[in-house]
Amino acid sequence: MTLFKADNLAINFGGIKAVDGVSFDVQKGQVFTIIGPNGAGKTTVFNLISRIYNPTEGKLFFEGNDITEVAPHNIANLGIARTFQNIELFEHATVLHNLLLGRHAHRSGNLASQMLFLPSQRKAELAHREKVEHVIDFLDLQHYRDTYIVNLPYGARKVVELARALCTEPKLLLLDEPSSGLNTEETEDMAFWIHDIRNELGITVLMVEHDMTLVNEVSDRVLALNYGRVLALGTPSEVQSHPEVVKAYLGG
Amino acid sequence: MGGWTLSEIVQLLLNGLAAGCIYGLVALGFVLIYKATEMVNFAQGDLLMLGAFMAYALIEHYSMNYWAAFLGAVLFMAVFGYLLDTVILRQVIGQPQFAVVMLTIGLGFLFRSGASMIWGTETRAFATPFTDGVTRVGGFVIADVNLSIVIGTAILCGLLYAFFRFTRIGVAMQAASQNQLAAYYMGIPVKMIFSLVWAISAGVAAVAGILLAPVSLIDVTIGLIGLKAFAAAVLGGFGSIPGAVFGGLVIGVIEQFSGIYLPEGFKDVAAYIVILLVLFARPQGLFGNIGRKRV
């Protein structure tokens, strides 16, 4: 079953075609990875999907619905979460508060009942807290629960951002270079978690990644981009042995 | 303290606290907008003036009762603030800070001229349930208008605290002020949230204006109180909401006492002397965290 589909996506910045006629679809339960050399347009595709940029041409579909015009803040309500290459957390808040904000899209109730913190609100808050605790357990963040983000090491922040995305209970998780800035050991952990996110939580993952070890380990399908165009699409080994891909990476 | 009785000192303190509450409320408006949007709204004092005139219009022209007019004027100003952001201020997002400063100073002029065209330049007043009343507590006589300002400010601060601490929108405002990009992907409509911050700031300014009206009476220049409130916000650290209110109280009290203990004229410049001293000695303010602002 197709969960997400990009159809003939294109965007121009000035006269430059950063992304040009990119089409692909992501099946439910897959880990789908976009690779490519620097400047290939990977992050641009990502920003198009998460609606930071408006495509010049083409359409995006999520669960069969056209989401090309959906505002970025409504992406979360649809069930799409994302992380950022350079980490975007609420730095002057604790890990717990960051994760609870991941529940924002699921909060309900009117202003008065919230201000008075009525029993119904209390109950809802406890349920949110429970969800958050599940994620904390899942990603082994117990130790950092009450730490302010500014005091966390980089690697831990990366995991917190992943945790916050999981707290939104997404159907599709967009990961922008999950291994960037991580050391080898942390990258191995990340591969392990992406595996579990798909297998245990059943969440479809669409990621941009350049660490080929991680890509090979977790991806079901790989899309190679260069100069904003699709070079190859297939299994990790198919794509890596594709002559165009080899040429793009090694030159020549 | 020679020559001054305890009763007189308490009286001065109360006057100072009442004035300080007004500075604090206006300063709170500055800080709310600054924290969320990194804009400094130099028209904040003029929003106070418009709020007071709205209440005046509702009471005198539409013969509404004080409480209904209070609520009406605050709601009107909140909508006004919301539209100010959506229609005008959003256009300068991404422009240099200087553009925002000039724009809000210009808006302040516009509001003052608009108000003088509608209501004239003479001083106005409206009757309130507190005018001329006094309350005796122990041996002290407290003017009801001062009491109403202090209690009104306390209630408003309590409401704002509950709002920011517990409500979905309040928490969303804190989130959006810390990281807009992340806030978007938590499902927070950041632009609307910013407009709501403007609405709250304008509403708070209106409350301050209406509470102040029986003390200072209303004319188109009462918005100049915004300058002293600015000093209060700097004293509090310009990024701290409790700091803004506390800074207001400190400046209000210092002002009252300097009027008595220092030579003639010091009362009017006390606030600015305080701001200078703060900038020399502790530029981040009493509660400040500007030094560790996100870059």
Short mmCIF file of all heavy atoms in Angstrom, two decimals, chain A residues 38-100:
data_model
loop_
_atom_site.label_atom_id
_atom_site.label_comp_id
_atom_site.label_asym_id
_atom_site.label_seq_id
_atom_site.Cartn_x
_atom_site.Cartn_y
_atom_site.Cartn_z
N ASN A 38 26.86 15.82 -2.21
CA ASN A 38 26.53 17.15 -1.71
C ASN A 38 25.90 18.00 -2.79
O ASN A 38 26.35 18.00 -3.92
CB ASN A 38 27.80 17.86 -1.21
CG ASN A 38 28.25 17.29 0.12
OD1 ASN A 38 27.43 16.74 0.85
ND2 ASN A 38 29.53 17.42 0.41
N GLY A 39 24.85 18.72 -2.43
CA GLY A 39 24.21 19.61 -3.39
C GLY A 39 23.31 18.90 -4.38
O GLY A 39 22.87 19.49 -5.36
N ALA A 40 23.01 17.62 -4.12
CA ALA A 40 22.19 16.85 -5.07
C ALA A 40 20.72 17.24 -4.99
O ALA A 40 19.95 16.96 -5.89
CB ALA A 40 22.35 15.36 -4.80
N GLY A 41 20.31 17.91 -3.88
CA GLY A 41 18.91 18.30 -3.72
C GLY A 41 18.17 17.44 -2.71
O GLY A 41 16.94 17.50 -2.64
N LYS A 42 18.91 16.67 -1.91
CA LYS A 42 18.25 15.78 -0.94
C LYS A 42 17.43 16.57 0.08
O LYS A 42 16.24 16.31 0.28
CB LYS A 42 19.31 14.96 -0.15
CG LYS A 42 20.22 14.12 -1.00
CD LYS A 42 21.18 13.32 -0.13
CE LYS A 42 22.12 14.17 0.70
NZ LYS A 42 23.34 14.62 0.05
N THR A 43 18.09 17.53 0.72
CA THR A 43 17.40 18.29 1.76
C THR A 43 16.29 19.15 1.16
O THR A 43 15.25 19.36 1.78
CB THR A 43 18.41 19.14 2.55
OG1 THR A 43 19.31 18.24 3.21
CG2 THR A 43 17.73 19.97 3.62
N THR A 44 16.51 19.60 -0.08
CA THR A 44 15.45 20.38 -0.74
C THR A 44 14.20 19.53 -0.92
O THR A 44 13.09 19.99 -0.66
CB THR A 44 15.95 20.91 -2.11
OG1 THR A 44 17.19 21.57 -1.90
CG2 THR A 44 14.95 21.86 -2.72
N VAL A 45 14.39 18.28 -1.36
CA VAL A 45 13.25 17.37 -1.50
C VAL A 45 12.55 17.23 -0.14
O VAL A 45 11.32 17.28 -0.03
CB VAL A 45 13.70 15.98 -2.00
CG1 VAL A 45 12.58 14.96 -1.85
CG2 VAL A 45 14.13 16.07 -3.46
N PHE A 46 13.35 17.12 0.88
CA PHE A 46 12.82 16.97 2.23
C PHE A 46 12.01 18.18 2.66
O PHE A 46 10.93 18.05 3.25
CB PHE A 46 14.02 16.80 3.17
CG PHE A 46 13.85 15.67 4.10
CD1 PHE A 46 13.71 14.39 3.62
CD2 PHE A 46 13.80 15.88 5.46
CE1 PHE A 46 13.55 13.34 4.47
CE2 PHE A 46 13.63 14.84 6.32
CZ PHE A 46 13.50 13.56 5.83
N ASN A 47 12.55 19.36 2.36
CA ASN A 47 11.84 20.57 2.73
C ASN A 47 10.59 20.78 1.89
O ASN A 47 9.64 21.42 2.34
CB ASN A 47 12.76 21.79 2.63
CG ASN A 47 13.78 21.82 3.76
OD1 ASN A 47 13.56 21.19 4.80
ND2 ASN A 47 14.87 22.53 3.57
N LEU A 48 10.59 20.22 0.70
CA LEU A 48 9.37 20.26 -0.11
C LEU A 48 8.30 19.37 0.52
O LEU A 48 7.14 19.77 0.65
CB LEU A 48 9.65 19.78 -1.53
CG LEU A 48 10.34 20.79 -2.46
CD1 LEU A 48 10.83 20.09 -3.71
CD2 LEU A 48 9.37 21.91 -2.83
N ILE A 49 8.73 18.16 0.94
CA ILE A 49 7.77 17.22 1.52
C ILE A 49 7.20 17.79 2.83
O ILE A 49 6.01 17.69 3.09
CB ILE A 49 8.46 15.86 1.80
CG1 ILE A 49 8.87 15.21 0.48
CG2 ILE A 49 7.51 14.93 2.56
CD1 ILE A 49 9.75 13.99 0.67
N SER A 50 8.08 18.41 3.65
CA SER A 50 7.56 18.91 4.93
C SER A 50 7.00 20.32 4.78
O SER A 50 6.71 20.99 5.76
CB SER A 50 8.63 18.83 6.00
OG SER A 50 9.78 19.52 5.60
N ARG A 51 6.86 20.79 3.55
CA ARG A 51 6.10 21.98 3.22
C ARG A 51 6.76 23.29 3.65
O ARG A 51 6.07 24.30 3.81
CB ARG A 51 4.67 21.88 3.78
CG ARG A 51 3.89 20.66 3.31
CD ARG A 51 3.47 20.77 1.86
NE ARG A 51 2.76 22.02 1.63
CZ ARG A 51 3.25 23.05 0.96
NH1 ARG A 51 4.42 22.98 0.40
NH2 ARG A 51 2.56 24.14 0.83
N ILE A 52 8.10 23.27 3.84
CA ILE A 52 8.79 24.53 4.09
C ILE A 52 8.86 25.30 2.77
O ILE A 52 8.69 26.51 2.73
CB ILE A 52 10.21 24.28 4.64
CG1 ILE A 52 10.12 23.70 6.05
CG2 ILE A 52 11.02 25.58 4.67
CD1 ILE A 52 11.46 23.43 6.69
N TYR A 53 9.11 24.57 1.68
CA TYR A 53 9.12 25.18 0.35
C TYR A 53 7.84 24.79 -0.40
O TYR A 53 7.29 23.71 -0.19
CB TYR A 53 10.30 24.67 -0.47
CG TYR A 53 11.67 24.94 0.10
CD1 TYR A 53 12.72 24.06 -0.17
CD2 TYR A 53 11.92 26.08 0.86
CE1 TYR A 53 13.98 24.31 0.33
CE2 TYR A 53 13.19 26.32 1.36
CZ TYR A 53 14.22 25.43 1.10
OH TYR A 53 15.47 25.66 1.58
N ASN A 54 7.41 25.69 -1.27
CA ASN A 54 6.33 25.35 -2.18
C ASN A 54 6.93 24.89 -3.50
O ASN A 54 7.77 25.58 -4.07
CB ASN A 54 5.46 26.59 -2.45
CG ASN A 54 4.55 26.87 -1.27
OD1 ASN A 54 3.94 25.96 -0.72
ND2 ASN A 54 4.48 28.12 -0.87
N PRO A 55 6.52 23.73 -3.99
CA PRO A 55 7.09 23.27 -5.26
C PRO A 55 6.66 24.17 -6.41
O PRO A 55 5.55 24.70 -6.41
CB PRO A 55 6.52 21.85 -5.42
CG PRO A 55 5.32 21.80 -4.54
CD PRO A 55 5.55 22.78 -3.43
N THR A 56 7.56 24.35 -7.37
CA THR A 56 7.21 25.09 -8.59
C THR A 56 6.25 24.24 -9.43
O THR A 56 5.37 24.75 -10.09
CB THR A 56 8.49 25.38 -9.41
OG1 THR A 56 9.53 25.76 -8.52
CG2 THR A 56 8.27 26.48 -10.41
N GLU A 57 6.49 22.93 -9.38
CA GLU A 57 5.66 22.00 -10.14
C GLU A 57 5.52 20.70 -9.35
O GLU A 57 6.33 20.42 -8.48
CB GLU A 57 6.38 21.64 -11.45
CG GLU A 57 5.80 22.27 -12.70
CD GLU A 57 6.62 21.82 -13.90
OE1 GLU A 57 6.36 20.71 -14.37
OE2 GLU A 57 7.54 22.57 -14.30
N GLY A 58 4.53 19.92 -9.70
CA GLY A 58 4.41 18.60 -9.11
C GLY A 58 3.48 18.56 -7.92
O GLY A 58 3.01 19.60 -7.45
N LYS A 59 3.21 17.35 -7.47
CA LYS A 59 2.26 17.17 -6.37
C LYS A 59 2.78 16.18 -5.34
O LYS A 59 3.62 15.34 -5.64
CB LYS A 59 0.92 16.66 -6.92
CG LYS A 59 0.17 17.67 -7.77
CD LYS A 59 -1.33 17.55 -7.56
CE LYS A 59 -2.12 18.64 -8.27
NZ LYS A 59 -1.86 19.98 -7.71
N LEU A 60 2.25 16.32 -4.11
CA LEU A 60 2.58 15.41 -3.03
C LEU A 60 1.30 14.76 -2.54
O LEU A 60 0.28 15.44 -2.39
CB LEU A 60 3.20 16.18 -1.85
CG LEU A 60 4.48 16.97 -2.11
CD1 LEU A 60 4.73 17.94 -0.99
CD2 LEU A 60 5.64 16.00 -2.25
N PHE A 61 1.35 13.45 -2.32
CA PHE A 61 0.17 12.75 -1.81
C PHE A 61 0.53 11.97 -0.56
O PHE A 61 1.58 11.32 -0.51
CB PHE A 61 -0.39 11.77 -2.86
CG PHE A 61 -0.86 12.44 -4.11
CD1 PHE A 61 0.01 12.63 -5.18
CD2 PHE A 61 -2.17 12.90 -4.21
CE1 PHE A 61 -0.41 13.26 -6.33
CE2 PHE A 61 -2.60 13.53 -5.37
CZ PHE A 61 -1.72 13.72 -6.44
N PHE A 62 -0.33 12.07 0.45
CA PHE A 62 -0.14 11.30 1.67
C PHE A 62 -1.44 10.56 1.94
O PHE A 62 -2.51 11.17 2.00
CB PHE A 62 0.19 12.23 2.84
CG PHE A 62 0.41 11.51 4.15
CD1 PHE A 62 1.47 10.64 4.31
CD2 PHE A 62 -0.46 11.70 5.21
CE1 PHE A 62 1.67 9.97 5.51
CE2 PHE A 62 -0.27 11.05 6.41
CZ PHE A 62 0.79 10.18 6.56
N GLU A 63 -1.38 9.25 2.04
CA GLU A 63 -2.56 8.40 2.18
C GLU A 63 -3.59 8.70 1.10
O GLU A 63 -4.79 8.76 1.36
CB GLU A 63 -3.19 8.59 3.56
CG GLU A 63 -2.28 8.14 4.70
CD GLU A 63 -2.97 8.19 6.05
OE1 GLU A 63 -3.51 9.28 6.37
OE2 GLU A 63 -2.99 7.18 6.75
N GLY A 64 -3.11 8.96 -0.10
CA GLY A 64 -4.01 9.22 -1.22
C GLY A 64 -4.54 10.64 -1.31
O GLY A 64 -5.19 11.00 -2.28
N ASN A 65 -4.28 11.48 -0.27
CA ASN A 65 -4.77 12.86 -0.32
C ASN A 65 -3.67 13.80 -0.80
O ASN A 65 -2.51 13.64 -0.43
CB ASN A 65 -5.23 13.32 1.07
CG ASN A 65 -6.33 12.43 1.60
OD1 ASN A 65 -7.27 12.11 0.89
ND2 ASN A 65 -6.18 12.01 2.85
N ASP A 66 -4.09 14.78 -1.60
CA ASP A 66 -3.15 15.78 -2.08
C ASP A 66 -2.76 16.71 -0.93
O ASP A 66 -3.61 17.37 -0.34
CB ASP A 66 -3.83 16.58 -3.21
CG ASP A 66 -2.86 17.54 -3.88
OD1 ASP A 66 -1.78 17.78 -3.32
OD2 ASP A 66 -3.21 18.05 -4.96
N ILE A 67 -1.46 16.72 -0.57
CA ILE A 67 -1.03 17.61 0.53
C ILE A 67 -0.11 18.72 0.02
O ILE A 67 0.59 19.35 0.80
CB ILE A 67 -0.33 16.82 1.67
CG1 ILE A 67 0.93 16.09 1.15
CG2 ILE A 67 -1.27 15.83 2.32
CD1 ILE A 67 1.89 15.72 2.26
N THR A 68 -0.14 18.96 -1.30
CA THR A 68 0.76 19.96 -1.87
C THR A 68 0.53 21.35 -1.27
O THR A 68 1.45 22.15 -1.20
CB THR A 68 0.59 20.01 -3.40
OG1 THR A 68 0.40 18.68 -3.87
CG2 THR A 68 1.79 20.61 -4.08
N GLU A 69 -0.72 21.63 -0.84
CA GLU A 69 -1.03 22.97 -0.36
C GLU A 69 -1.19 23.06 1.16
O GLU A 69 -1.51 24.11 1.69
CB GLU A 69 -2.35 23.46 -1.00
CG GLU A 69 -2.41 23.34 -2.51
CD GLU A 69 -1.80 24.55 -3.21
OE1 GLU A 69 -2.11 25.66 -2.77
OE2 GLU A 69 -1.03 24.37 -4.16
N VAL A 70 -0.98 21.94 1.85
CA VAL A 70 -1.19 21.94 3.31
C VAL A 70 -0.12 22.78 3.99
O VAL A 70 1.05 22.72 3.64
CB VAL A 70 -1.15 20.48 3.84
CG1 VAL A 70 -1.18 20.45 5.35
CG2 VAL A 70 -2.32 19.68 3.27
N ALA A 71 -0.53 23.59 5.01
CA ALA A 71 0.42 24.44 5.73
C ALA A 71 1.33 23.58 6.62
O ALA A 71 0.89 22.53 7.10
CB ALA A 71 -0.33 25.45 6.58
N PRO A 72 2.56 24.03 6.85
CA PRO A 72 3.51 23.21 7.63
C PRO A 72 2.96 22.77 8.99
O PRO A 72 3.22 21.65 9.42
CB PRO A 72 4.72 24.14 7.82
CG PRO A 72 4.62 25.17 6.78
CD PRO A 72 3.19 25.27 6.37
N HIS A 73 2.19 23.65 9.67
CA HIS A 73 1.74 23.28 11.01
C HIS A 73 0.64 22.22 10.97
O HIS A 73 0.32 21.62 11.99
CB HIS A 73 1.31 24.50 11.80
CG HIS A 73 0.08 25.17 11.28
ND1 HIS A 73 0.13 26.23 10.42
CD2 HIS A 73 -1.22 24.91 11.48
CE1 HIS A 73 -1.09 26.60 10.13
NE2 HIS A 73 -1.93 25.82 10.75
N ASN A 74 0.04 22.01 9.79
CA ASN A 74 -0.98 20.96 9.70
C ASN A 74 -0.40 19.60 9.33
O ASN A 74 -1.10 18.59 9.38
CB ASN A 74 -2.06 21.36 8.69
CG ASN A 74 -2.98 22.41 9.27
OD1 ASN A 74 -3.25 22.39 10.48
ND2 ASN A 74 -3.42 23.34 8.45
N ILE A 75 0.89 19.60 8.97
CA ILE A 75 1.57 18.35 8.62
C ILE A 75 1.54 17.39 9.82
O ILE A 75 1.27 16.20 9.69
CB ILE A 75 3.03 18.67 8.21
CG1 ILE A 75 3.04 19.37 6.84
CG2 ILE A 75 3.91 17.44 8.21
CD1 ILE A 75 2.76 18.47 5.68
N ALA A 76 1.79 17.96 11.03
CA ALA A 76 1.81 17.13 12.24
C ALA A 76 0.44 16.49 12.48
O ALA A 76 0.35 15.32 12.85
CB ALA A 76 2.22 17.96 13.44
N ASN A 77 -0.62 17.27 12.26
CA ASN A 77 -1.96 16.74 12.49
C ASN A 77 -2.30 15.60 11.55
O ASN A 77 -3.09 14.72 11.89
CB ASN A 77 -3.01 17.85 12.32
CG ASN A 77 -2.74 19.02 13.25
OD1 ASN A 77 -2.21 18.84 14.35
ND2 ASN A 77 -3.08 20.22 12.81
N LEU A 78 -1.68 15.61 10.35
CA LEU A 78 -1.95 14.54 9.39
C LEU A 78 -1.26 13.24 9.79
O LEU A 78 -1.64 12.17 9.35
CB LEU A 78 -1.43 14.95 8.01
CG LEU A 78 -2.18 16.02 7.25
CD1 LEU A 78 -1.44 16.36 5.97
CD2 LEU A 78 -3.59 15.55 6.93
N GLY A 79 -0.21 13.34 10.61
CA GLY A 79 0.54 12.14 10.98
C GLY A 79 1.90 12.07 10.32
O GLY A 79 2.40 10.98 10.03
N ILE A 80 2.49 13.24 10.05
CA ILE A 80 3.86 13.27 9.51
C ILE A 80 4.72 14.03 10.52
O ILE A 80 4.36 15.11 10.95
CB ILE A 80 3.92 13.97 8.14
CG1 ILE A 80 3.00 13.28 7.14
CG2 ILE A 80 5.35 14.01 7.62
CD1 ILE A 80 2.95 13.92 5.77
N ALA A 81 5.83 13.43 10.92
CA ALA A 81 6.74 14.11 11.84
C ALA A 81 8.09 14.21 11.17
O ALA A 81 8.40 13.41 10.28
CB ALA A 81 6.86 13.33 13.14
N ARG A 82 8.91 15.17 11.60
CA ARG A 82 10.24 15.26 11.00
C ARG A 82 11.29 15.65 12.03
O ARG A 82 10.98 16.21 13.07
CB ARG A 82 10.27 16.22 9.82
CG ARG A 82 10.27 17.68 10.18
CD ARG A 82 10.73 18.54 9.00
NE ARG A 82 12.17 18.43 8.77
CZ ARG A 82 12.83 19.06 7.80
NH1 ARG A 82 12.17 19.83 6.94
NH2 ARG A 82 14.12 18.94 7.66
N THR A 83 12.53 15.31 11.71
CA THR A 83 13.67 15.81 12.48
C THR A 83 14.50 16.67 11.53
O THR A 83 14.26 16.68 10.33
CB THR A 83 14.55 14.67 13.02
OG1 THR A 83 15.12 13.97 11.91
CG2 THR A 83 13.75 13.70 13.86
N PHE A 84 15.47 17.38 12.10
CA PHE A 84 16.26 18.30 11.29
C PHE A 84 17.73 17.91 11.34
O PHE A 84 18.22 17.41 12.35
CB PHE A 84 16.10 19.73 11.81
CG PHE A 84 14.72 20.26 11.65
CD1 PHE A 84 13.74 19.99 12.59
CD2 PHE A 84 14.37 21.02 10.54
CE1 PHE A 84 12.45 20.46 12.44
CE2 PHE A 84 13.09 21.50 10.38
CZ PHE A 84 12.12 21.22 11.33
N GLN A 85 18.41 18.19 10.24
CA GLN A 85 19.83 17.89 10.16
C GLN A 85 20.59 18.59 11.29
O GLN A 85 21.48 18.00 11.90
CB GLN A 85 20.36 18.34 8.80
CG GLN A 85 21.78 17.90 8.54
CD GLN A 85 22.23 18.38 7.17
OE1 GLN A 85 21.44 18.75 6.31
NE2 GLN A 85 23.53 18.37 6.97
N ASN A 86 20.22 19.85 11.56
CA ASN A 86 20.96 20.61 12.57
C ASN A 86 20.23 20.69 13.91
O ASN A 86 20.56 21.55 14.74
CB ASN A 86 21.26 22.00 12.06
CG ASN A 86 22.12 21.94 10.83
OD1 ASN A 86 23.08 21.18 10.77
ND2 ASN A 86 21.76 22.70 9.80
N ILE A 87 19.24 19.84 14.11
CA ILE A 87 18.52 19.73 15.37
C ILE A 87 17.77 21.01 15.73
O ILE A 87 18.36 22.07 15.93
CB ILE A 87 19.44 19.35 16.56
CG1 ILE A 87 20.21 18.07 16.23
CG2 ILE A 87 18.62 19.15 17.82
CD1 ILE A 87 21.05 17.56 17.37
N GLU A 88 16.47 20.93 15.80
CA GLU A 88 15.65 22.07 16.22
C GLU A 88 14.87 21.65 17.45
O GLU A 88 13.81 21.06 17.35
CB GLU A 88 14.69 22.49 15.10
CG GLU A 88 15.36 22.92 13.80
CD GLU A 88 16.06 24.26 13.89
OE1 GLU A 88 15.84 25.00 14.87
OE2 GLU A 88 16.86 24.55 12.98
N LEU A 89 15.43 21.95 18.63
CA LEU A 89 14.73 21.62 19.87
C LEU A 89 14.39 22.90 20.61
O LEU A 89 14.89 23.97 20.29
CB LEU A 89 15.60 20.73 20.75
CG LEU A 89 15.76 19.28 20.29
CD1 LEU A 89 16.91 18.60 21.00
CD2 LEU A 89 14.48 18.48 20.50
N PHE A 90 13.54 22.78 21.64
CA PHE A 90 13.24 23.92 22.50
C PHE A 90 14.32 23.91 23.58
O PHE A 90 14.24 23.16 24.55
CB PHE A 90 11.84 23.82 23.07
CG PHE A 90 10.80 23.71 21.99
CD1 PHE A 90 10.17 22.50 21.73
CD2 PHE A 90 10.48 24.81 21.23
CE1 PHE A 90 9.25 22.40 20.71
CE2 PHE A 90 9.54 24.72 20.21
CZ PHE A 90 8.93 23.51 19.95
N GLU A 91 15.36 24.74 23.38
CA GLU A 91 16.59 24.57 24.15
C GLU A 91 16.48 24.96 25.61
O GLU A 91 17.21 24.45 26.44
CB GLU A 91 17.73 25.34 23.49
CG GLU A 91 18.03 24.79 22.11
CD GLU A 91 19.32 25.29 21.54
OE1 GLU A 91 19.94 26.15 22.17
OE2 GLU A 91 19.70 24.81 20.47
N HIS A 92 15.57 25.89 25.91
CA HIS A 92 15.45 26.31 27.31
C HIS A 92 14.31 25.57 27.99
O HIS A 92 13.58 26.12 28.81
CB HIS A 92 15.30 27.82 27.39
CG HIS A 92 16.46 28.55 26.78
ND1 HIS A 92 17.73 28.44 27.30
CD2 HIS A 92 16.57 29.31 25.67
CE1 HIS A 92 18.56 29.14 26.55
NE2 HIS A 92 17.88 29.66 25.55
N ALA A 93 14.13 24.32 27.61
CA ALA A 93 13.12 23.47 28.24
C ALA A 93 13.78 22.11 28.47
O ALA A 93 14.81 21.79 27.87
CB ALA A 93 11.92 23.34 27.32
N THR A 94 13.18 21.32 29.34
CA THR A 94 13.76 20.02 29.64
C THR A 94 13.41 19.01 28.54
O THR A 94 12.55 19.28 27.69
CB THR A 94 13.23 19.45 30.97
OG1 THR A 94 11.82 19.25 30.82
CG2 THR A 94 13.48 20.41 32.12
N VAL A 95 14.06 17.87 28.58
CA VAL A 95 13.76 16.79 27.64
C VAL A 95 12.28 16.43 27.74
O VAL A 95 11.56 16.34 26.75
CB VAL A 95 14.64 15.56 27.94
CG1 VAL A 95 14.16 14.35 27.16
CG2 VAL A 95 16.10 15.87 27.61
N LEU A 96 11.80 16.29 28.99
CA LEU A 96 10.40 15.92 29.20
C LEU A 96 9.46 16.93 28.55
O LEU A 96 8.50 16.57 27.87
CB LEU A 96 10.12 15.81 30.71
CG LEU A 96 8.71 15.40 31.08
CD1 LEU A 96 8.39 14.01 30.57
CD2 LEU A 96 8.52 15.46 32.59
N HIS A 97 9.74 18.22 28.75
CA HIS A 97 8.86 19.24 28.17
C HIS A 97 8.90 19.23 26.65
O HIS A 97 7.88 19.43 26.00
CB HIS A 97 9.23 20.62 28.72
CG HIS A 97 8.76 20.83 30.13
ND1 HIS A 97 9.47 21.53 31.06
CD2 HIS A 97 7.66 20.40 30.76
CE1 HIS A 97 8.82 21.51 32.22
NE2 HIS A 97 7.72 20.82 32.06
N ASN A 98 10.08 18.99 26.10
CA ASN A 98 10.17 18.87 24.65
C ASN A 98 9.31 17.73 24.13
O ASN A 98 8.60 17.87 23.14
CB ASN A 98 11.63 18.65 24.23
CG ASN A 98 12.35 19.94 23.94
OD1 ASN A 98 12.30 20.45 22.83
ND2 ASN A 98 13.00 20.49 24.95
N LEU A 99 9.36 16.62 24.84
CA LEU A 99 8.59 15.45 24.39
C LEU A 99 7.10 15.71 24.58
O LEU A 99 6.28 15.33 23.74
CB LEU A 99 9.02 14.20 25.15
CG LEU A 99 10.49 13.79 25.02
CD1 LEU A 99 10.70 12.38 25.53
CD2 LEU A 99 10.97 13.89 23.59
N LEU A 100 6.73 16.37 25.68
CA LEU A 100 5.31 16.67 25.90
C LEU A 100 4.79 17.60 24.80
O LEU A 100 3.64 17.50 24.39
CB LEU A 100 5.09 17.29 27.27
CG LEU A 100 5.08 16.29 28.43
CD1 LEU A 100 5.15 17.02 29.77
CD2 LEU A 100 3.83 15.41 28.40
#
